[in-house]
Amino acid sequence: MEHIARDADIAPVAALIADPTRAAILTALLDGRALAAGELARVAGVSAATASAHLARLLDGRLVDVVRQGRHRYYRLSGHEVAEVLEVLARISARPPVRSLRQSRQARLLEEARTCYDHLAGRAGVGLLDGLRDGGYYDGHDLTGAGERLLSGLGVDVAGARGSRRRFAPECLDWTERRAHLGGALGAAVTHALFERGWYRRGTVPRAVILTDEGREGLSALFPSKELTSHTPVT
């Protein structure tokens, strides 16, 4: 039988992601940070040796990179393209059942505000994009002049984001909200600025981020969106 020509061989990559342990490891790395093998083993619920074996396969498949600091090795996603694939899979996958109060709290925090690799997601991310659009700062494809001035005033490196090889300001469908948040190079630059200003900080739940009092005041002054300013307060 004649073989059909294909643009790319996606089966090996799909097989790497399909394993439950490797999927848990990749999901844990979706917050953009580099984690040690021991941390990833705990998240995935496997032994250190098992996690190391899975990480070796992910390295061979170029889905993760390793960062060495002295004797220590830390793993991270190999790039935003891998994160985008994982987010798309999350949108078409079933939500896991919540079986405890702890899982319910974790799910709520992720729905409120989280990082989608390196940009703000959840209700916070959706609210941010709505605020930019409703205020006339974003036209669905690009920043307006007023938008460039607004974000530059917040410390966002707009010029650097424009010069990136990554798409500048695409809308990214949020897997919990089913509405768009801001992605691409601009989404990453905005999120970096929000962390630098102390308006958001990372929470104890992986990927979850917490709106600070300073952030609530600052965002309220810029945008009327309640989705941006009604998250769980810092404790």
Side-chain angles (χ1 to χ4, degrees), residues 33 59 64 100 104 113 130 152 158 203 208 229:
R33 289 182 289 183
L59 279 168
V64 302
S100 68
S104 177
D130 285 348
S152 295
V158 177
T229 57

Side-chain angles (χ1 to χ4, degrees), residues 128-208:
L128 176 63
L129 181 58
D130 285 348
L132 290 171
R133 186 186 293 111
D134 294 345
Y137 304 117
Y138 175 78
D139 63 9
H141 303 283
D142 201 349
L143 288 176
T144 62
E148 291 219 21
R149 291 190 292 273
L150 175 80
L151 294 185
S152 295
L154 286 176
V156 177
D157 184 5
V158 177
R162 285 196 185 280
S164 170
R165 296 177 61 182
R166 190 173 175 181
R167 291 176 63 195
F168 175 61
E171 295 188 3
C172 178
L173 184 63
D174 195 280
W175 68 267
T176 56
E177 294 300 297
R178 307 297 175 178
R179 295 159 57 201
H181 59 247
L182 184 64
L186 182 62
V190 170
T191 303
H192 177 75
L194 293 175
F195 277 119
E196 285 291 300
R197 294 180 74 91
W199 287 11
Y200 278 94
R201 68 168 177 82
R202 296 191 183 276
T204 56
V205 174
R207 298 185 62 197

Side-chain angles (χ1 to χ4, degrees), residues 56-223:
R57 294 196 61 181
L58 291 171
L59 279 168
D60 288 342
R62 295 183 295 180
L63 295 184
V64 302
D65 290 331
V66 64
V67 179
R68 292 176 174 83
Q69 292 186 354
R71 295 182 302 164
H72 302 288
R73 291 159 59 94
Y74 299 91
Y75 298 86
R76 64 187 179 192
L77 295 184
S78 60
H80 64 87
E81 297 92 346
V82 178
E84 289 167 6
V85 169
L86 296 174
E87 285 288 325
V88 170
L89 288 173
R91 291 202 296 267
I92 62 175
S93 301
R95 301 283 295 277
V98 173
R99 294 192 171 93
S100 68
L101 288 175
R102 181 184 178 187
Q103 289 179 342
S104 177
R105 176 180 176 274
Q106 291 175 340
R108 177 172 55 82
L109 290 173
L110 290 173
E111 289 170 358
E112 287 179 352
R114 67 180 184 278
T115 48
C116 174
Y117 187 54
D118 58 3
H119 52 266
L120 189 65
R123 279 193 290 274
V126 169
L128 176 63
L129 181 58
D130 285 348
L132 290 171
R133 186 186 293 111
D134 294 345
Y137 304 117
Y138 175 78
D139 63 9
H141 303 283
D142 201 349
L143 288 176
T144 62
E148 291 219 21
R149 291 190 292 273
L150 175 80
L151 294 185
S152 295
L154 286 176
V156 177
D157 184 5
V158 177
R162 285 196 185 280
S164 170
R165 296 177 61 182
R166 190 173 175 181
R167 291 176 63 195
F168 175 61
E171 295 188 3
C172 178
L173 184 63
D174 195 280
W175 68 267
T176 56
E177 294 300 297
R178 307 297 175 178
R179 295 159 57 201
H181 59 247
L182 184 64
L186 182 62
V190 170
T191 303
H192 177 75
L194 293 175
F195 277 119
E196 285 291 300
R197 294 180 74 91
W199 287 11
Y200 278 94
R201 68 168 177 82
R202 296 191 183 276
T204 56
V205 174
R207 298 185 62 197
V209 297
I210 305 297
L211 179 67
T212 65
D213 291 337
E214 293 84 354
R216 184 173 289 103
E217 293 175 5
L219 290 171
S220 294
L222 294 175
F223 306 109

